[in-house]
Amino acid sequence: MWEKIAVFILRNRIPLLVAVALMTIFMGFQARKVEMSYKFGGILPKDDSTQVEYDRFTRRFSEDGNVMVLGAQSPEMLKYPLFAEWYTLGNNLRDIDGVDSVFSEAHLFTLKKNSEEKRFDLHKVVNRRPESAAETDSLVRIIQSLPFYRGLIYNDSTDAGLMMLFVNRERFEEESREITVGRILDLAEDFEARTGVQIHISGLPYIRTVQASKIKQELAMFVGLAALVTAILLFVFFKSFRVMAISLIVVVIGVVWSLGTIGIFGFKLSALMGLIPPLIIVIGVPNCVFLLNKYHSEYRKHGNQIKALSRVIHKVGNATFMTNATTAMGFATFIFVQSAMLHEFGIIASINILSVFFLSLIIIPCVFSFTKPPKERHTEHLDRRWLEKVVEFLESLVLYHRKKVYAGAVLLVGFALYGITMVEATGNIVDDLPKKDKIISDLAFFEEHFSGVMPLEILINTLDGSRVTNDKTLRKIEKLQDLLESYDEISRPLAITDAVKFAKQAYYNGVPERYALISGYEKSFIAPYLRGNENDVGGVSRLFLDSTMQTTRVSAQIADIGTNQLDTLMADLKPRIFEIFPQDTYKVTLTGTSIVFLNGTSYLVKNLFISLSIAICVIAILMALLFNSARMVLISLLPNLIPLLFTAALMGYFGVAIKPSTILVFSIAFGISVDDTIHFLSKYRQELKARPWDIEQCIINAVHETGVSMIYTSIILFFGFLVFTASDFGGTVALGLLVSVTLLVAMISNLVLLPGLLMSFQRSLVTQSFREPLLEIVDEEEDIELDALEVKKSDGA
């Protein structure tokens, strides 16, 4: 088959290159459709109970993550003129397109009793900018007489104030949100310049926007760095600008195709999806290296350029295809995971890994067929003395020091198993950002003064059909609020009880001491006011009740404490909640972004092992088809499992948690490290078929021939993944470092441990089934007849 492919490619060079160019133009247009993802989530399957409950909550009460918060701290917060500036800032923010409403100490509403119509009306506390200290003091006295807001938007003990910006959800799911956030930041900076008081900004809309902006910036940076690093390495290895340029053309086209594929599928660019373009560069360049090494070595043998190019396709194409297929399979296992985020990543990654292989297989032979043959200096890399010494050292380990190699492998496994026991699966919503990032410091401000800004929602439903506004349930809700306030990590919760208390205070003309639940005897004269309100207590209770009056919400904010600590907190909190609300009478559901994130992280960890197990099984089946030997499957997998154990150990020793941002380390490392195994075993089988009587020499020849390309590609992969350490996201930095180290370990394992095992078990492994695989691997000794191949040179080529 590969003979025919070689003939087809070299006979149809121009049509194929034109087709690639046209396809690249098409993909470029599709890439323009790619949009950033501005939403958290997409981790849990849509039918997961946690996701179902959260979706049900958002349909009833709208999304919980649509509030940006601005905070400031000063002893003058409630004094003139700072209070007046705070008022002006809120009004200016409210005028921004995308901000629906503003809520702060200077933008409060109070309930007033309308005795004539027997209802409660909402009134602004501050109707205009205060013009004097006396006016400000008068307004502050009113504000401080409203317990409904105490601890919610101002903290008397720390002189901290909070301004809530309720943003438009649709607007903040579009790219234009960056303009909105930019205007908010500009106004905040103006406030700081006028007052000298620092503004802290947080909330999920803000965090999402900043992170998405960083992802967009890093995508361009990673692509540029990966291209630069690989270009430098290619030039150092091959000493040819032509080789460097053509290899870069291959991977740049691969990047365009990857972005175009994302656009065709209608997926959005997330932190995970943003890794694909630089991955294509890092994974695509080794394809070029293997093909170019073969081209140069073949040309040096016989000096026939067309014959060399045909052998590149014929002999290396099959093995390179299998290595790319295994890498693609490693990523494709995510397709079977129900998580939308991983599912989309698996589709795009697997498709484009195969695409970049076909691009390299087409572009390199076709383009080089139009160029001048390589000069002597271009093939000198095949004779590098330092490389020869490295390969000779590896050969000596295989021939004379196998016991030491096995002992080292056993020690490494022991070291790894102990390290694995220290690995944790945890994560914070913002823990990938640098510790000194302003998002982190601002979030710490809100956690210190208001216990956090991450939404936590508790839904309470009466199973017997009674209203949640009955006295018994209201008292239970009040008890739940007291329970929540006893946790330092949880802010003061808000519930329908607060609306009822607010109404009672309003009935008694705003007396703060009357802020309490309505007693039995008070119902007779307060109830008409509640019934007289078309919007039910000035519309306040609509925030807490659904249309059936059988479900209510208790809203709080929680610190970004990490999934482990949050899991512990929930395990302590839930039984205490169920004591207040017996499960035979009430259905209580804990939801909100914090809960979704907690369960999403747990789900990812579980699916890590599932997807990795699938990858191992798929690749094991592929090895069985290639070599038709169960013993060969075991021998080939072992050198690739050890690097994974080593990676897990490093995570344990250095405190790198398994979380959404580091979840890909194992699949990437395993999928790529198996490539070396296939290249080595393919060459070994070719040698074995040529000289089955001399197994030891076959192994050494395989080490010698594949070792050079493996070392080249491993160096490129090492530095290629190392560019991810330039990221601002800790998880991306960890991924780059861990994959880089893992691939070096995998290279050594495949060049030392694998041939050592083959050498030790040579007789039991070399069977008829191994020599006659189910999937044919090209015979090194066979060749394409040059008479069967006609390549017409264009003028001047």
Side-chain angles (χ1 to χ4, degrees):
M1 179 183 73
W2 286 94
E3 296 177 21
K4 295 179 180 178
I5 292 174
V7 171
F8 175 80
I9 290 175
L10 291 174
R11 279 182 176 174
N12 298 277
R13 299 170 297 166
I14 294 177
L16 286 173
L17 291 175
V18 170
V20 168
L22 293 175
M23 187 66 176
T24 303
I25 293 171
F26 170 75
M27 286 296 192
F29 278 107
Q30 295 300 315
R32 297 172 63 185
K33 300 178 182 178
V34 177
E35 298 178 352
M36 294 298 302
S37 173
Y38 292 100
K39 296 185 69 176
F40 279 130
I43 298 176
L44 289 172
K46 292 183 178 179
D47 59 354
D48 183 89
S49 59
T50 301
Q51 189 65 48
V52 169
E53 291 292 349
Y54 179 72
D55 292 340
R56 187 177 295 143
F57 161 78
T58 56
R59 287 194 298 270
R60 285 175 174 171
F61 298 106
S62 79
E63 189 174 354
D64 61 338
N66 64 339
V67 180
M68 277 184 65
V69 290
L70 279 69
Q73 182 184 22
S74 170
E76 307 296 317
M77 280 301 298
L78 298 181
K79 296 180 182 179
Y80 184 82
L82 185 57
F83 183 84
E85 292 290 348
W86 194 239
Y87 174 82
T88 300
L89 173 62
N91 284 0
N92 291 337
L93 290 170
R94 188 173 52 204
D95 293 337
I96 295 176
D97 185 22
V99 177
D100 291 339
S101 60
V102 173
F103 202 52
S104 76
E105 305 101 302
H107 302 83
L108 301 183
F109 290 87
T110 185
L111 285 178
K112 289 188 177 181
K113 180 173 63 173
N114 186 331
S115 299
E116 291 182 4
E117 299 184 18
K118 291 191 180 299
R119 56 176 289 151
F120 296 110
D121 296 327
L122 276 174
H123 291 271
K124 288 183 179 180
V125 175
V126 185
N127 291 294
R128 63 183 180 86
R129 177 186 167 104
E131 298 296 336
S132 66
E135 185 180 358
T136 301
D137 293 342
S138 175
L139 292 171
V140 169
R141 281 193 292 271
I142 296 173
I143 294 169
Q144 292 179 334
S145 70
L146 301 174
F148 182 88
Y149 301 109
R150 189 168 297 136
L152 186 65
I153 56 172
Y154 62 92
N155 187 330
D156 287 334
S157 63
T158 62
D159 296 318
L162 182 145
M163 184 179 291
M164 296 182 182
L165 275 60
F166 292 87
V167 299
N168 184 276
R169 184 181 59 171
E170 287 75 21
R171 171 82 171 188
F172 268 70
E173 290 179 2
E174 301 172 352
E175 192 169 355
S176 57
R177 70 186 289 164
E178 293 186 13
I179 299 174
T180 301
V181 170
R183 292 191 61 193
I184 292 171
L185 293 175
D186 289 341
L187 289 175
E189 289 176 3
D190 288 343
F191 176 87
E192 290 178 337
R194 290 196 311 271
T195 65
V197 176
Q198 183 180 0
I199 292 287
H200 303 271
I201 305 177
S202 193
L204 290 181
Y206 173 70
I207 294 171
R208 292 167 182 166
T209 303
V210 173
Q211 287 186 336
S213 178
K214 286 180 180 288
I215 290 167
K216 188 189 298 185
Q217 293 171 5
E218 290 196 350
L219 172 60
M221 179 187 70
F222 286 150
V223 169
L225 281 177
L228 177 63
V229 169
T230 52
I232 292 172
L233 290 173
L234 283 168
F235 182 76
V236 169
F237 289 155
F238 293 98
K239 293 183 179 179
S240 169
F241 284 108
R242 183 192 308 163
V243 167
M244 179 186 72
I246 295 173
S247 298
L248 285 180
I249 288 172
V250 171
V251 294
V252 168
I253 292 175
V255 168
V256 174
W257 283 29
S258 68
L259 292 172
T261 310
I262 296 173
I264 290 172
F265 279 89
F267 298 152
K268 293 195 174 184
L269 204 61
S270 62
L272 194 59
M273 200 71 81
L275 295 176
I276 290 180
L279 274 177
I280 293 301
I281 294 178
V282 175
I283 293 173
V285 168
N287 291 336
C288 301
V289 170
F290 274 108
L291 295 172
L292 289 166
N293 266 344
K294 186 63 177 175
Y295 171 48
H296 287 168
S297 63
E298 285 292 332
Y299 182 78
R300 173 183 276 188
K301 286 180 183 178
H302 44 69
N304 187 316
Q305 185 181 20
I306 299 303
K307 182 178 181 180
L309 290 171
S310 69
R311 284 194 167 187
V312 166
I313 303 170
H314 180 207
K315 299 177 186 293
V316 182
N318 192 13
T320 307
F321 171 73
M322 294 310 302
T323 60
N324 281 265
T326 54
T327 303
M329 286 178 186
F331 286 98
T333 55
F334 290 116
I335 296 174
F336 304 102
V337 177
Q338 291 183 314
S339 167
M341 181 180 71
L342 292 177
H343 179 80
E344 293 173 3
F345 178 83
I347 291 174
I348 301 300
S350 55
I351 289 174
N352 284 283
I353 287 169
L354 291 177
S355 295
V356 78
F357 160 72
F358 287 112
L359 284 171
S360 60
L361 192 68
I362 292 171
I363 293 174
I364 286 180
C366 290
V367 171
F368 275 95
S369 69
F370 289 108
T371 65
K372 294 179 180 179
K375 297 179 180 178
E376 185 177 347
R377 63 185 176 85
H378 296 149
T379 60
E380 287 177 356
H381 65 91
L382 300 173
D383 298 324
R384 285 205 169 97
R385 188 57 194 152
W386 70 268
L387 201 55
E388 288 292 329
K389 287 184 177 180
V390 171
V391 174
E392 288 171 5
F393 173 72
L394 296 176
E395 290 173 0
S396 69
L397 290 178
V398 173
L399 287 172
Y400 311 115
H401 305 283
R402 288 196 297 277
K403 290 183 179 179
K404 293 179 181 179
V405 170
Y406 300 151
V410 171
L411 289 174
L412 184 61
V413 170
F415 165 85
L417 292 176
Y418 180 74
I420 289 172
T421 62
M422 295 186 283
V423 176
E424 293 184 350
T426 186
N428 299 67
I429 292 177
V430 297
D431 70 346
D432 278 338
L433 292 171
K435 299 303 180 185
K436 295 182 179 180
D437 193 281
K438 192 175 187 300
I439 289 181
I440 302 292
S441 59
D442 283 353
L443 185 60
F445 171 87
F446 291 104
E447 290 177 350
E448 178 185 355
H449 299 287
F450 299 98
S451 297
V453 296
M454 301 303 170
L456 173 64
E457 300 285 345
I458 301 176
L459 296 184
I460 301 165
N461 177 263
T462 56
L463 297 177
D464 59 4
S466 62
R467 291 190 171 194
V468 289
T469 52
N470 63 61
D471 291 347
K472 177 184 176 183
T473 302
L474 288 177
R475 285 193 295 270
K476 287 180 176 293
I477 294 173
E478 186 178 42
K479 189 175 180 180
L480 171 61
Q481 289 178 279
D482 293 337
L483 171 64
L484 294 174
E485 282 198 83
S486 67
Y487 289 88
D488 293 336
E489 302 90 346
I490 302 177
S491 70
R492 182 205 150 188
L494 211 56
I496 185 61
T497 50
D498 294 290
V500 173
K501 293 175 183 180
F502 205 175
K504 179 178 176 178
Q505 182 187 2
Y507 180 83
Y508 287 104
N509 300 313
V511 177
E513 289 74 21
R514 293 291 187 172
Y515 187 80
L517 290 177
I518 299 172
S519 60
Y521 78 92
E522 292 173 317
K523 284 185 178 180
S524 59
F525 46 85
I526 297 180
Y529 285 83
L530 297 176
R531 289 194 296 269
N533 248 92
E534 181 181 352
N535 291 331
D536 197 8
V537 195
V540 175
S541 62
R542 286 184 302 166
L543 299 171
F544 305 105
L545 295 172
D546 72 346
S547 58
T548 67
M549 304 285 284
Q550 292 177 227
T551 302
T552 187
R553 69 192 283 195
V554 178
S555 296
Q557 310 295 323
I558 190 169
D560 187 25
I561 55 179
T563 52
N564 277 353
Q565 192 175 344
L566 181 59
D567 198 18
T568 302
L569 187 149
M570 290 297 115
D572 180 70
L573 180 60
K574 284 181 181 179
R576 300 174 71 180
I577 293 177
F578 293 140
E579 285 181 14
I580 300 172
F581 295 96
Q583 292 177 272
D584 58 344
T585 310
Y586 298 92
K587 179 185 177 183
V588 179
T589 305
L590 278 76
T591 187
T593 305
S594 299
I595 302 300
V596 172
F597 184 79
L598 166 66
N599 287 277
T601 300
S602 301
Y603 179 83
L604 276 181
V605 173
K606 180 181 72 174
N607 279 274
L608 161 67
F609 296 104
I610 293 174
S611 61
L612 193 57
S613 299
I614 294 173
I616 292 172
C617 291
V618 168
I619 291 172
I621 292 170
L622 182 61
M623 291 293 188
L625 292 174
L626 282 172
F627 303 110
N628 204 9
S629 168
R631 285 170 290 188
M632 278 302 302
V633 171
L634 295 176
I635 292 294
S636 61
L637 285 181
L638 183 59
N640 294 293
L641 293 178
I642 289 178
L644 296 187
L645 294 176
F646 181 75
T647 300
L650 290 180
M651 295 178 74
Y653 286 120
F654 291 98
V656 179
I658 294 177
K659 52 188 174 180
S661 55
T662 59
I663 206 81
L664 294 178
V665 169
F666 300 98
S667 295
I668 291 175
F670 183 72
I672 297 177
S673 65
V674 170
D675 294 356
D676 287 345
T677 304
I678 292 177
H679 275 294
F680 179 83
L681 292 179
S682 297
K683 180 59 184 174
Y684 172 53
R685 187 186 170 279
Q686 292 168 1
E687 291 289 333
L688 190 65
K689 195 168 185 179
R691 48 181 71 80
W693 63 88
D694 193 352
I695 297 173
E696 181 176 299
Q697 190 58 45
C698 291
I699 293 172
I700 295 305
N701 288 349
V703 171
H704 192 81
E705 173 133 350
T706 60
V708 173
S709 291
M710 280 191 197
I711 292 171
Y712 278 177
T713 56
S714 294
I715 291 173
I716 291 172
L717 288 168
F718 177 83
F719 286 103
F721 278 101
L722 214 58
V723 303
F724 290 117
T725 59
S727 173
D728 281 337
F729 297 99
T732 306
V733 172
L735 184 144
L737 283 172
L738 290 170
V739 173
S740 296
V741 173
T742 303
L743 293 178
L744 284 184
V745 175
M747 178 199 71
I748 296 170
S749 182
N750 278 297
L751 285 176
V752 178
L753 181 60
L754 176 59
L757 291 171
L758 290 174
M759 193 81 76
S760 297
F761 300 99
Q762 52 183 302
R763 295 301 172 189
S764 60
L765 288 173
V766 181
T767 62
Q768 181 65 26
S769 60
F770 177 58
R771 290 194 296 271
E772 300 296 335
L774 298 179
L775 291 181
E776 182 65 29
I777 299 179
V778 68
D779 183 4
E780 182 72 23
E781 298 308 313
E782 293 177 358
D783 197 8
I784 300 173
E785 292 295 332
L786 291 179
D787 294 339
L789 182 66
E790 294 181 8
V791 179
K792 295 181 178 180
K793 291 276 187 178
S794 59
D795 293 340

